């Protein structure tokens, strides 16, 4: 008998010796727990917004009304058709940026306005992209195998445990700390680290490859990239998700923006996502 | 294929499709029947991966509640066996990961009563196997159990865990080496004990 088959025999023998009956109380406990557990019918929300205080809620509501007004004005009958998809007349900084001599190859239909814990930010919304309030998604949606999204998780704490959805507040850390925390995660492959600027703020850009099977780490729990106790954060939405991440220093707070995509995401959507990132304008609260 | 100690074929029995479909529609008693039907086998797998009866019980309960919650999303009721296997294995891996972090610096002690000696494995062998097994990564533990206890092939395990088949084979190889090293360490210790006696 060779070593391999000998080891096979030893392990089979060893595994065979052990309890083989489920305790009766498991049935009772499970029966009780499923009585209180509703079955899932709809898919989970992939992005978790920051737990807004009332001031931010009001600000966001005003911003939403503003965006709706701009979109509605553009869609009014009698408006020249060419006005749809052209830069809006919004006086915001991003509108100014979009009036550059080089026309954007992806028509813009509106602006996303997001208010988060340390910043407000705006971005141009290409035609066909969906404004989800906190992030933008293409018509492909956000999930594997073809989805894509652009947004800011509103958190900068990288838990060492991908299944830790509670997270922490780490206001004192630097951009380098966030990058180091990402690089320390054995379940993530971090590459292409380069200095960058986004919205006029400097920081670091990295590419992150999430696992082929996130559920192998956390079962049916979410596989967390970033999380903070208020509910902000980001979890991956499918196997082999790619995250292009910008971590920029906004007045001492590492602030994260990202494009999430998959191998099947259409190249045109990736190009449009990059244009969204290029259009981001950041306004710190302080 | 490996048989369970009581001689039943260890591979899943044919699942009652009606029970799965009824549970998918929200019939709790049908789900409880499924739990009774498959609970022993699932518990055995969880206990082998986690090497602890209490943690296996917890993992099984969690996996079953998740299964209840997500069962409406199972497109093919005939895949219930593979689906629940995968779900339980992933819950066990996650729990083993958490437990491993907590016990990294603790001396590992046998938790179950030592089994009666037999002609293949001594009590000391079993203890060493247990220690060697606990030093494996949670994924390697699951792969060993799925291969040697459940009887899955590396390709089936790869599909279940979402890993490339080559990765499963290399982890299986590494786990074998680690377990063999654990046994050889015990053999060396026995030789020293005998020569000094």
């Amino acid at each position: 008998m060779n070593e391999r088959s000998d080891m096979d025999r030893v392990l089979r023998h060893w595994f065979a010796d052990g309890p083989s009956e489920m305790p009766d109380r498991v049935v009772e406990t499970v029966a009780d727990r499923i009585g209180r557990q509703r079955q899932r019918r709809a898919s989970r929300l992939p992005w978790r917004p920051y737990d807004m205080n009332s001031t931010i809620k009001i600000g966001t509501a005003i911003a939403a009304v503003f965006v709706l007004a701009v979109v509605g004005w553009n869609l009014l009958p009698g408006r020249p058709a060419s006005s749809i998809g052209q830069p809006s007349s919004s006086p915001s900084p991003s509108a100014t940026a979009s009036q550059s001599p080089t026309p954007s190859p992806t028509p813009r239909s509106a602006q996303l306005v997001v208010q988060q814990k340390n910043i407000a930010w705006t971005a141009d919304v290409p035609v066909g992209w969906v404004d989800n309030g906190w992030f933008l998604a293409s018509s492909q949606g956000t999930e594997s195998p073809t989805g894509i999204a652009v947004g800011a998780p509103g958190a900068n704490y990288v838990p060492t445990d991908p299944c830790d959805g509670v997270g922490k507040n780490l206001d004192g850390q630097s951009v380098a700390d966030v990058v180091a925390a990402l690089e320390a995660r054995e379940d993530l492959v971090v590459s292409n680290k380069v200095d960058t600027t986004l919205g006029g703020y400097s920081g670091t850009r990295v590419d992150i490859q999430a696992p082929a099977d996130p559920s192998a780490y956390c079962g049916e729990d979410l596989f967390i990239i970033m999380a903070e106790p208020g509910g902000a954060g980001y979890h991956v939405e499918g196997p082999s998700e790619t995250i292009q991440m910008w971590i920029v220093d906004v007045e001492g707070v590492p602030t994260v923006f990202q494009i999430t995509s998959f191998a099947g995401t259409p190249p045109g959507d990736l190009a449009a996502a990059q244009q969204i990132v290029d259009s981001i304008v950041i306004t710190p609260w302080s | 294929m490996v048989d369970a100690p009581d001689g039943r074929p260890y591979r899943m029995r044919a699942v009652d499709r009606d029970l799965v479909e009824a549970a998918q529609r929200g019939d709790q008693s049908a789900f409880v029947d499924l739990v009774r039907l498959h609970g022993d086998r699932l518990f055995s797998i969880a206990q082998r991966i986690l090497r602890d009866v209490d943690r296996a019980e917890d993992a099984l309960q969690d996996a079953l509640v998740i299964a209840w919650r997500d069962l409406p999303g199972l497109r093919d009721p005939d895949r219930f066996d593979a689906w629940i296997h995968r779900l339980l294995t992933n819950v066990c891996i996650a729990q083993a990961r958490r437990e491993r972090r907590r016990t990294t610096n603790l001396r590992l002690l046998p938790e179950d009563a030592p089994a009666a000696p037999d002609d293949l494995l001594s009590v000391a062998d079993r203890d060493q196997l247990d220690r060697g097994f606990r030093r494996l990564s949670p994924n390697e533990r699951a792969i060993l159990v799925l291969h040697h206890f459940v009887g899955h092939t590396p390709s089936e395990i790869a599909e279940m865990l979402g890993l490339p088949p080559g990765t499963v084979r290399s982890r299986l190889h590494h786990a074998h080496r680690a377990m063999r090293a654990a046994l050889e360490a015990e053999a060396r210790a026995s030789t020293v004990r005998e020569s000094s006696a």
Side-chain angles (χ1 to χ4, degrees):
Chain A
M1 186 178 293
N2 63 32
E3 280 191 358
R4 170 61 194 264
S5 61
D6 194 38
M7 198 64 216
D8 287 349
R9 192 166 64 94
V10 165
L11 289 173
R12 274 204 309 272
H13 195 78
W14 182 59
F15 281 133
D17 184 32
S20 58
E21 286 187 17
M22 171 182 65
D24 290 340
R25 61 180 170 273
V26 172
V27 177
E28 295 161 19
T29 305
V30 169
D32 178 58
R33 287 178 65 182
I34 66 171
R36 292 179 275 116
Q37 170 71 55
R38 293 178 63 181
Q39 289 187 306
R40 179 179 280 167
R41 301 279 170 192
S43 61
R44 293 184 287 242
L45 282 174
W47 293 64
R48 300 181 302 153
Y50 179 63
D51 190 15
M52 296 182 287
N53 62 33
S54 55
T55 306
I56 293 179
K57 282 177 181 169
I58 292 167
T60 303
I62 293 170
V65 169
F66 170 75
V67 169
L68 284 173
V70 170
V71 174
W73 174 253
N74 278 322
L75 295 175
L76 275 177
R79 294 274 297 164
S82 59
S83 70
I84 299 176
Q86 295 300 310
S88 75
S89 58
S90 162
S92 72
S94 63
T96 305
S98 68
Q99 290 164 354
S100 61
T102 307
S104 166
T106 304
R108 177 168 68 87
S109 65
Q111 249 194 344
L112 173 74
V113 182
V114 179
Q115 312 216 11
Q116 289 176 307
K117 65 173 187 174
N118 66 314
I119 58 165
W121 61 276
T122 64
D124 294 348
V125 183
V127 170
W129 282 63
V130 180
D131 173 356
N132 288 281
W134 303 94
F135 61 94
L136 297 172
S138 78
S139 57
Q140 304 282 332
T142 62
E143 296 182 350
S144 174
T146 58
I148 186 168
V150 182
N156 59 22
Y157 171 67
V158 182
T160 54
D161 179 355
C163 318
D164 172 12
V166 177
K168 291 179 184 172
N169 281 315
L170 287 182
D171 292 337
Q173 65 179 347
S174 66
V175 169
D177 292 334
V178 177
V179 174
L182 288 164
E183 290 178 321
R185 283 267 296 261
E186 292 180 358
D187 45 62
L188 303 174
V189 178
V190 179
S191 61
N192 300 329
K193 184 170 69 171
V194 292
D195 293 338
T196 190
T197 59
L198 190 150
Y201 292 89
S202 61
T204 302
R205 183 193 175 286
V206 293
D207 289 337
I208 299 169
Q209 188 64 53
D213 182 12
S215 66
Y217 292 83
C218 303
E220 290 298 297
D221 292 340
L222 304 174
F223 184 98
I224 305 293
I225 302 293
M226 292 190 173
E228 288 191 3
Y234 182 72
H235 61 79
V236 301
E237 299 180 57
S240 302
E241 183 169 296
T242 299
I243 305 166
Q244 300 172 58
M245 187 176 284
W246 290 256
I247 308 137
V248 294
D249 184 327
V250 180
E251 300 193 340
V253 179
T255 304
V256 178
F257 292 85
Q258 61 188 33
I259 299 173
T260 59
S261 63
F262 298 91
T265 301
D269 285 352
L270 283 167
Q274 184 59 54
Q275 287 178 35
I276 293 170
V277 170
D278 292 342
S279 76
I280 288 174
V281 173
I282 301 169
T283 307
W285 284 119
S286 56
Chain B
M1 184 176 308
V2 180
D3 285 353
D6 62 2
R8 286 173 298 132
Y10 208 79
R11 199 68 91 158
M12 285 255 188
R13 294 173 288 253
V15 173
D16 188 330
R17 187 186 175 97
D18 292 343
L19 280 180
V20 175
E21 288 177 339
Q24 285 185 303
R25 292 191 298 268
D27 184 336
Q28 293 179 14
S29 64
F31 187 78
V32 169
D33 286 345
L34 284 171
V35 172
R36 288 201 178 94
L37 197 60
H38 300 289
D40 287 349
R41 174 183 31 74
L42 295 171
F43 176 73
S44 298
I45 294 169
Q47 193 277 336
R48 267 66 178 182
I49 296 174
L50 295 168
R51 306 301 299 170
D52 182 282
V53 171
D54 292 334
R55 291 209 301 275
E57 196 176 317
D58 289 344
L60 177 57
Q61 286 177 12
D62 289 347
L64 290 170
V65 173
I66 292 168
W68 163 256
R69 184 191 68 188
D70 293 348
L71 194 54
L74 177 65
R75 289 178 191 163
D76 180 2
D78 290 333
R79 295 282 297 160
F80 178 79
D81 278 1
W83 181 75
I84 192 79
H85 251 119
R86 177 188 174 118
L87 210 158
L88 175 75
T89 303
N90 287 333
V91 169
C92 288
I93 288 172
Q95 187 169 120
R97 245 179 244 283
R98 287 193 287 269
E99 190 61 28
R100 199 176 185 220
R101 274 192 286 274
R102 280 197 288 272
T103 60
T104 298
N105 297 316
L106 297 180
R107 182 166 175 267
L108 297 169
L109 299 169
E111 296 184 3
D112 299 323
D118 58 36
D119 55 348
L120 186 65
L121 293 171
S122 67
V123 172
D125 284 340
R126 288 172 186 279
D127 187 33
Q128 282 303 107
L129 283 171
D130 196 58
R131 287 165 188 270
F133 188 77
R134 287 169 193 267
R135 278 193 288 267
L136 297 176
S137 74
N139 258 316
E140 288 170 340
R141 289 193 218 173
I143 288 169
L144 270 189
V145 171
L146 292 172
H147 184 59
H148 291 291
F149 185 59
V150 183
H152 285 315
T153 65
S155 297
E156 289 170 331
I157 296 169
E159 187 182 345
M160 181 177 292
L161 300 183
L163 296 169
T167 302
V168 171
R169 286 191 192 92
S170 73
R171 287 184 182 175
L172 198 54
H173 177 69
H174 174 263
H176 277 164
R177 278 202 325 190
M179 297 299 279
R180 187 178 297 117
L183 274 183
E184 286 168 357
E186 172 52 27
R188 282 195 298 274
S190 298
T191 306
V192 170
R193 281 196 298 270
E194 285 166 10
S195 59
S196 61

